[in-house]
Amino acid sequence: LLMAFRDVNARRHIGLQQLSSLALAGRTLLGPVKSCKFIVDESTNQSTLICSAVRLIESLDLTSAAGQLLNETIQAQNKEFKTGMSTLLFLVGAWSNAIVECLQQNVPVSAIVSVMSEGLNSCCERVQCLQISIHDVNKELCSSSVRPNASKSKTCQIGCNSLPNSHLFLYFQKEISVPEVIPINSCSHQDDDCNFNKHLVSPLAGFGSVATLVKPAGDKSTSVISGNGVATSSCSKQKLTHSRYFSTLGKSLFSSQQGNFQGYLLGPSADSCEYCGLGHLAMALSHGNEPSMKLLQSIVAYQQERAEHSGSSQLNVAEIVTCCLLGLPESYSCASPGFVTLLSPEQVTVIKYFEDKLLRILLIDGDLTEQYRHLGFNRPCNVRTIVEHPSLQEGDLWLSSMLDNLINFEVNLVLVKGNVCENLRERCIANSILLVSSVTWNVLCAFGEVTGAQPVTYLTQLNASCVGSGAQVELWKASDGRATDLGELVPVRIKARGIPLLTAVLTTSVASKMQLIEDQFWTLVYRLHHALNDKKVFLGGGAVELLCLSHIQMLVEQPLQPANQNAVKEFHNPWLAASATEYKSVVLQALASGWKQYLLVVMCNTTKAASELEVATSVDHHLRKAADCGCPSAYILKEFRRGDLLRDGAGPFADHREGLRVYDNVTAKTEAWRRALDLVLLVLQTDAEIVTGPRKNQLLNSHVSSEFMFL
């Protein structure tokens, strides 16, 4: 009878099994060394390389209710954070499997829900001690990676021989077609060059003193990061190994012998200890994505230069756009001031005609088509339009009217948020009017601020006050001019004096990699963005997950204390209250198995571990040492600072280059945990209620024989 009940108990939770099978597809997407997947479109036989949970879920056939809930959960995480989706997807699968094992041991659903929820809340509170202020991270990363000789001049004398590139690229805000290149092969006259560069790029605002870490209630341990616990900002002799003070992409990005650069990698001043922070923080959050990291560092330097007078050191995501350029090597990726987009070759003649001219610009907030109506507009039914001239079709009348409006107000450039009627585009080309479609709202706002243009929904609303002036357009060119010979589309740069926009031009010669490169870039951008918003980061390298495992071991040995009275009210009879305590150990171990599996998979994905058994041995070793230490957080923090955390078999984000530390986002990580567990528990309760009903679900498994008869 018991075996028969267990079989029914396992089979009825189809939703958990579906979540587990869907999450299994994203197992290889964890960690810095990911195994990408090819998604093949059966209709076109075209393939796309993906490396994110969002793209994976979009490509799967999600016909089940559990699959739809999983998709909505991942989309919500992506919409809010743009990071943490792979962690969420993996934990959904790991915790689904763990809960199924609990059900096979006849653990009541109510006990699983209550103990897992309280266990996760307790872990989220406990790991707060592994948060560190970004100001302290900036100081530590700066002092550990850039330590010039204090007795020498604070100029380019530091690390000149260690730089892989022999040119320092400087960006001048004055209108020039070719940025000046200052050679730094020798150090004989570098003081003047670097002092000149120092005036071009402003240092970040000073960072605060190193603060002690936040400790949870009841933690009597002394703080490890305080006083001398963090490397001070004083400089000592050490070679410059990682720096964004000079362009490290070197000749792979731009050759100094090529002309007419329009994409720049911007290097800040070499006044080392004063200007280090966001670039190093981006490196620590990159998790090994070096190309995106270097591109983001150049963007940060550009934005910081513009914010010199405002004193702001925040990353402005709204001022960043991307342009995916297929046909050039990946080394041509760069940051280009202004708005870079792709247009048809037919518009090149118009662009060349307008080069070096100031244009009158119009912004359209919607589609520029005859059928377009704004949201909420209801077109009257059974209304027939009679044209006055029988020779003109209704469509021709609309085209002529729209073109006349543009010509009457002398509009040269139109940026449209939505789609554009192709017939209207052709007529505009014939009249030297440039139409650019699919322009994002933040780009429209940026051009509106600097040109005075006011967005309109329809061209019939056009008046003199809506048209702006001062825009410029030109062909975008790479270092060797190949950008104009890519085939179907031509890259074009639209700019205006004082516009804050910066376009990350992402290039690759492999079409299937384009989506992957763009996703990786935006992931890193938002990691840095959320770190600056949180003003703190987690210690990376598996430190947080390891502390969760250690904390759960302590919870197993102690009575579970609900965080609120609502959890207590869930127990409607003494038996259920006792069952939570009875099954506490089993349920908490199921919760811990999710994080442990996470560590095992990430470390194995780095290909530096021989097997999961070797990784599990390393994790258990650190757990024992953390327990013997008496203060797991202090032990983990010490091992992290030494670079030895989970180093046996290579840590999850192990990159043991000198001065490089790895950090994670605080809010994005904890929200991924919560969303994953909430989804799994929702599916668990829904599956149980479908079979037993909402009321009987609370008494599930109370009496095996009677429950089996009910089923």
Side-chain angles (χ1 to χ4, degrees), residues 403-596:
L403 184 61
D404 290 341
N405 284 344
L406 295 176
I407 295 175
N408 291 337
F409 288 96
E410 300 179 348
V411 175
N412 310 120
L413 173 64
V414 184
L415 301 184
V416 185
K417 184 179 179 181
N419 299 319
V420 172
C421 176
E422 291 302 321
N423 291 333
L424 179 60
R425 192 195 300 271
E426 293 176 0
R427 294 199 179 188
C428 286
I429 292 176
N431 289 271
S432 299
I433 300 175
L434 191 62
L435 291 184
V436 181
S437 59
S438 302
V439 179
T440 58
W441 174 248
N442 60 317
V443 175
L444 295 180
C445 292
F447 277 98
E449 291 177 359
V450 297
T451 64
Q454 299 179 8
V456 296
T457 306
Y458 307 102
L459 275 182
T460 53
Q461 300 172 326
L462 183 59
N463 55 58
S465 63
C466 297
V467 182
S469 60
Q472 291 180 287
V473 61
E474 61 187 1
L475 296 176
W476 184 91
K477 297 179 182 178
S479 58
D480 57 359
R482 284 199 291 167
T484 58
D485 301 323
L486 297 179
E488 297 181 357
L489 298 176
V490 179
V492 175
R493 184 160 74 111
I494 305 172
K495 59 183 180 178
R497 184 177 182 84
I499 192 167
L501 277 180
L502 191 65
T503 302
V505 182
L506 307 176
T507 62
T508 182
S509 55
V510 182
S512 59
K513 288 186 64 178
M514 183 57 73
Q515 186 68 70
L516 172 64
I517 294 174
E518 185 178 19
D519 289 343
Q520 289 178 337
F521 171 76
W522 280 116
T523 296
L524 180 54
V525 169
Y526 277 96
R527 279 180 188 163
L528 181 57
H529 171 71
H530 292 306
L532 295 174
N533 285 346
D534 294 339
K535 295 182 172 57
K536 55 192 175 183
V537 289
F538 270 141
L539 302 184
V544 177
E545 291 78 10
L546 192 64
L547 183 58
C548 287
L549 295 176
S550 178
H551 182 59
I552 287 181
Q553 287 183 348
M554 297 175 60
L555 291 180
V556 170
E557 301 171 358
Q558 300 173 358
L560 185 65
Q561 299 294 333
N564 53 66
Q565 295 298 322
N566 293 331
V568 180
K569 294 178 182 179
E570 293 179 0
F571 302 110
H572 298 281
N573 58 57
W575 182 88
L576 288 177
S579 67
T581 304
E582 178 184 355
Y583 295 106
K584 182 190 71 170
S585 176
V586 177
V587 178
L588 286 179
Q589 291 297 342
L591 180 66
S593 67
W595 286 306
K596 189 168 185 178

Side-chain angles (χ1 to χ4, degrees), residues 73 188 249 417 431 505 545 587 589 611 641 691 703 706:
T73 304
S188 57
L249 292 188
K417 184 179 179 181
N431 289 271
V505 182
E545 291 78 10
V587 178
Q589 291 297 342
S611 64
R641 290 183 50 76
V691 177
H703 301 287
S706 62

Side-chain angles (χ1 to χ4, degrees), residues 580-630:
T581 304
E582 178 184 355
Y583 295 106
K584 182 190 71 170
S585 176
V586 177
V587 178
L588 286 179
Q589 291 297 342
L591 180 66
S593 67
W595 286 306
K596 189 168 185 178
Q597 286 296 319
Y598 175 86
L599 287 176
L600 299 184
V601 171
V602 172
M603 294 170 70
C604 288
N605 284 354
T606 61
T607 68
K608 296 180 181 179
S611 64
E612 283 196 14
L613 178 61
E614 177 184 341
V615 177
T617 303
S618 174
V619 172
D620 293 338
H621 169 73
H622 282 287
L623 288 175
R624 286 194 302 270
K625 295 191 70 174
D628 295 340
C629 175

